[in-house]
Amino acid sequence: ADVYEWWVPPLRTSPPLILSRLLMDVAPYLSRRGDGSGMELLSWYHRQFWEASEEHCFSSQSGHTGETVARRKRCRELVDYYSGRWAGVPKPYTRWLSAIVQRPNFFPGETAGDRMVPAQPLVLQGSLRDGTCVINLRRIGALVPYAIKGRLEATVVKELTSIEYITAKFVSGMGSLLLTEVVDAMNTFPDSGAVLLELHSFLGRHMTLLRHPVTPGLAAQLLVQEPDASKLLRRFRHAEAARPEEERWGVLEWDQRPQEFDPLLMTVREHDLDVNCVAMSPSGTFFAS
């Protein structure tokens, strides 16, 4: 204790022994699994632990509204983590943490510290453009859902309309989940409905091709064949212009492409034989064949 009182290490971390003892004590109640990218994930094994954890993290004395605010705050913190916002950047202390970690004699006025937060790149190894890559499955599986729950509209739209995110989803076999995320975003953020509806239409028309791409850059190539008025195309070109030339997608521009938007919203290929009848629900949300 005297060492830490009179000499503060340059990088202050919790002693590893504390975490090791904690994991040893609760090991019978945890399940371990891989995340597909070489990392091991720990989660509670029993539902009772999940419910107790939720009650501890999200309960509020102010009722349902306070609980909603607490959940939204936690979701935004998870978005910060999966986006790598604090990777290699000093993170500001909360008032409670500031009172505990500061040593006025050594660090007068200190308001932030490096928490050793790992970076969360979309691709862990290799490159999306040549198809030899390891996707960060935790990032593409968690960031957008948490951002939707946290009501971070700009983050959601930027991520969903990114050609890298779209490509990574299909490379990882999550094309259907991407479409679900787009629908959730459309329901949550009506102000961004135009660009999200265009994205939904783009994915629906090309779903079969994108699920089995002949080249990693197929999504980018299909996108540049959209009309000039396409909001998705404008976002793509803006992002391409900001990249170094060696990092750009190798796409071919087609000068004679149609300038009218395709009215087709989705192609459904679930029948081996002819379709004899289709019935739509009154809301237009569901159909049966």
Side-chain angles (χ1 to χ4, degrees):
D2 290 344
V3 172
Y4 283 94
E5 180 64 25
W6 299 109
W7 181 79
V8 181
L11 188 60
R12 287 162 287 167
T13 62
S14 299
L17 179 60
I18 296 177
L19 181 58
S20 299
R21 287 293 301 272
L22 176 62
L23 291 176
M24 184 180 300
D25 290 342
V26 300
Y29 312 107
L30 297 176
S31 65
R32 299 171 181 265
R33 62 181 177 84
D35 69 344
S37 57
M39 302 297 291
E40 184 181 57
L41 302 181
L42 301 177
S43 60
W44 292 115
Y45 184 76
H46 296 288
R47 178 179 295 276
Q48 290 87 341
F49 288 112
W50 306 346
E51 294 173 349
S53 297
E54 284 197 356
E55 182 178 358
H56 174 75
C57 293
F58 303 135
S59 62
S60 173
Q61 300 296 328
S62 56
H64 179 71
T65 301
E67 181 179 348
T68 301
V69 172
R71 286 180 179 273
R72 193 169 296 177
K73 178 182 178 182
R74 298 300 182 192
C75 288
R76 292 185 176 189
E77 290 172 349
L78 287 168
V79 170
D80 286 345
Y81 174 77
Y82 285 114
S83 64
R85 177 182 179 184
W86 302 114
V89 179
K91 184 178 180 181
Y93 295 137
T94 62
R95 185 180 304 175
W96 173 82
L97 190 57
S98 179
I100 293 177
V101 302
Q102 282 194 19
R103 294 288 188 271
N105 293 338
F106 299 96
F107 301 97
E110 182 185 54
T111 59
D114 186 355
R115 315 293 181 85
M116 300 180 67
V117 179
Q120 295 288 342
L122 192 67
V123 178
L124 299 174
Q125 296 179 14
S127 171
L128 275 174
R129 291 160 183 78
D130 57 21
T132 58
C133 59
V134 176
I135 305 295
N136 188 342
L137 298 180
R138 294 182 66 196
R139 184 186 189 280
I140 67 170
L143 193 152
V144 169
Y146 281 128
I148 292 175
K149 294 177 182 178
R151 298 299 192 270
L152 298 174
E153 184 171 358
T155 300
V156 171
V157 174
K158 179 181 179 181
E159 195 78 1
L160 286 176
T161 57
S162 163
I163 198 66
E164 285 78 12
Y165 184 78
I166 295 172
T167 301
K169 277 286 195 179
F170 281 100
V171 168
S172 304
M174 298 182 183
S176 297
L177 292 177
L178 172 59
L179 205 57
T180 300
E181 291 175 356
V182 175
V183 173
D184 290 344
M186 291 170 62
N187 294 331
T188 306
F189 308 115
D191 291 344
S192 298
V195 65
L196 292 174
L197 179 60
E198 184 182 324
L199 173 60
H200 186 279
S201 176
F202 173 78
L203 296 175
R205 291 197 309 271
H206 303 301
M207 181 65 71
T208 302
L209 290 173
L210 292 173
R211 280 176 172 169
H212 307 285
V214 295
T215 174
L218 180 61
Q221 185 61 59
L222 291 172
L223 186 57
V224 299
Q225 294 175 195
E226 293 291 295
D228 289 334
S230 167
K231 295 180 176 62
L232 292 177
L233 180 57
R234 291 175 182 176
R235 286 172 175 266
F236 172 74
R237 285 177 170 165
H238 179 74
E240 284 288 272
R243 293 191 184 99
E245 186 172 353
E246 62 274 11
E247 296 181 8
R248 296 176 183 176
W249 293 88
V251 295
L252 299 176
E253 293 282 355
W254 180 26
D255 294 335
Q256 303 301 322
R257 67 184 185 280
Q259 293 300 318
E260 297 79 22
F261 284 96
D262 192 334
L264 179 64
L265 296 181
M266 180 174 291
T267 302
V268 180
R269 303 180 185 276
E270 299 294 339
H271 287 272
D272 295 329
L273 301 177
D274 295 339
V275 177
N276 298 319
C277 180
V278 175
M280 298 292 297
S281 66
S283 65
T285 306
F286 304 99
F287 71 90
S289 61

